[in-house]
Amino acid sequence: MLSHSNFLLAGDRLLATGGVMQMEGAGGGGLTPWALISGYGTDKQVGGTAFYTEAKTNGDFEISAGGVSVGLYNRLEISLSQQKLGLSDTVPGESIRVNTLGVKLRLFGDAIYDQDTLLPQVAVGVQIKHNEDFRNIPKALGAEHQTGVDVYFAATKLYLDAIFGRNLLLNGTLQATKANQFGFLGFGGDNRDSYQIKPAASIAVMLTDQVLLGTEYRYKPDNLSVFKEENAHDIFLAWFPAKNISLTAAYLDLGNIVNKSNQSGWYLSGQIAY
């Protein structure tokens, strides 16, 4: 997918070098922001991405997310997205919506082209999240704030021909956050109302020029005394049938969600990029 033979038109970035869109709208994996800038714009171009994701757990919680992003000159990414959580029979007929504005700045490095150095691509990002339904469920559960700001540093490196001729991608992210269940249950709580630094990691192998297999693990805070929050992880398979289109399927484990434990399931995501 990112081999040296895959250069397209002069000035265009290589296939899949913006990653897929994670659920909060940043370029990366499904769960975790990466240092990659979304879209295919080079340092002289503007790129863009649109995505939609649907997930459902074994307890019938439904998560949908959609949004758009713009990548400016392979340096700055701006994204706008909405996430929606359907509350199953926990609160029949009700859902919680979170709007997210994201900004990511590549600080230094190039994850793909700097093959002669171990230095990764490093970016800093901010996600401003606003819970539209805070005064219903989140506040009643003890959440302190309707709006939260997550700040993260991400480092991403692609190693060409690393495993049996296949390319290997590694990413590590550190995120300062107060978010409860990604912000669906508000921000801060009666257990804790201070920022915590939570790590996340991703590893992916390019099985073919169009198929990417990977896994992610994301640590989350546990701010509410009424329900324990657990970490999230996934195993994903992304397919790029054409340069501008990707489809991702994943097994997702979110642990406890509100009053239901062991919430796992599948998600599907589609993306258009240019």
Side-chain angles (χ1 to χ4, degrees):
M1 178 164 47
L2 297 175
S3 63
H4 295 296
S5 64
N6 279 336
F7 283 92
L8 301 171
L9 297 177
D12 287 345
R13 283 164 58 190
L14 303 183
L15 183 69
T17 53
V20 297
M21 297 290 284
Q22 59 111 198
M23 63 176 292
E24 292 141 312
L31 284 177
T32 307
W34 297 349
L36 303 176
I37 301 298
S38 62
Y40 286 114
T42 67
D43 58 0
K44 297 179 175 62
Q45 297 174 328
V46 175
T49 306
F51 82 103
Y52 184 77
T53 299
E54 280 279 354
K56 187 173 184 178
T57 73
N58 53 358
D60 288 331
F61 289 107
E62 297 185 15
I63 299 174
S64 59
V68 295
S69 72
V70 176
L72 302 170
Y73 311 111
N74 199 23
R75 176 65 63 179
L76 180 68
E77 174 186 295
I78 301 172
S79 60
L80 184 63
S81 63
Q82 182 179 86
Q83 299 75 43
K84 181 179 178 181
L85 173 66
L87 292 172
S88 180
D89 56 6
T90 299
V91 187
E94 293 295 324
S95 60
I96 299 174
R97 296 160 297 168
V98 177
N99 299 322
T100 303
L101 171 64
V103 179
K104 182 197 300 182
L105 176 67
R106 179 168 65 90
L107 299 177
F108 57 84
D110 191 300
I112 295 93
Y113 295 111
D114 288 345
Q115 291 296 308
D116 57 348
T117 176
L118 294 177
L119 188 71
Q121 180 168 321
V122 175
V124 60
V126 175
Q127 291 179 331
I128 304 169
K129 303 178 180 180
H130 180 75
N131 189 308
E132 291 193 16
D133 303 290
F134 174 78
R135 299 191 180 277
N136 298 327
I137 309 315
K139 188 174 183 180
L141 295 179
E144 294 288 340
H145 308 285
Q146 183 174 14
T147 300
V149 179
D150 290 357
V151 180
Y152 64 87
F153 283 90
T156 307
K157 184 69 175 178
L158 179 77
Y159 297 92
L160 299 176
D161 300 327
I163 302 178
F164 301 109
R166 298 291 91 194
N167 302 333
L168 173 69
L169 183 142
L170 299 177
N171 179 83
T173 301
L174 290 176
Q175 191 165 40
T177 181
K178 291 185 182 183
N180 308 318
Q181 293 290 1
F182 309 106
F184 287 125
L185 298 183
F187 305 87
D190 54 341
N191 265 352
R192 186 191 293 262
D193 188 27
S194 58
Y195 276 95
Q196 300 174 63
I197 306 297
K198 295 295 180 180
S202 308
I203 181 170
V205 177
M206 297 170 187
L207 300 179
T208 73
D209 287 347
Q210 283 80 37
V211 178
L212 180 67
L213 174 67
T215 185
E216 301 175 282
Y217 197 94
R218 176 171 170 173
Y219 287 85
K220 299 188 292 175
D222 183 23
N223 297 323
L224 302 174
S225 63
V226 63
F227 298 117
K228 179 176 176 57
E229 182 166 356
E230 297 177 328
N231 302 323
H233 65 89
D234 70 12
I235 300 172
F236 65 88
L237 188 70
W239 176 43
F240 296 81
K243 178 186 175 185
N244 303 104
I245 299 172
S246 68
L247 300 171
T248 303
Y251 169 79
L252 177 67
D253 188 344
L254 296 175
N256 291 344
I257 301 180
V258 194
N259 64 331
K260 295 185 179 183
S261 60
N262 302 317
Q263 291 303 290
S264 60
W266 294 88
Y267 79 72
L268 295 174
S269 182
Q271 173 178 303
I272 298 173
Y274 68 90

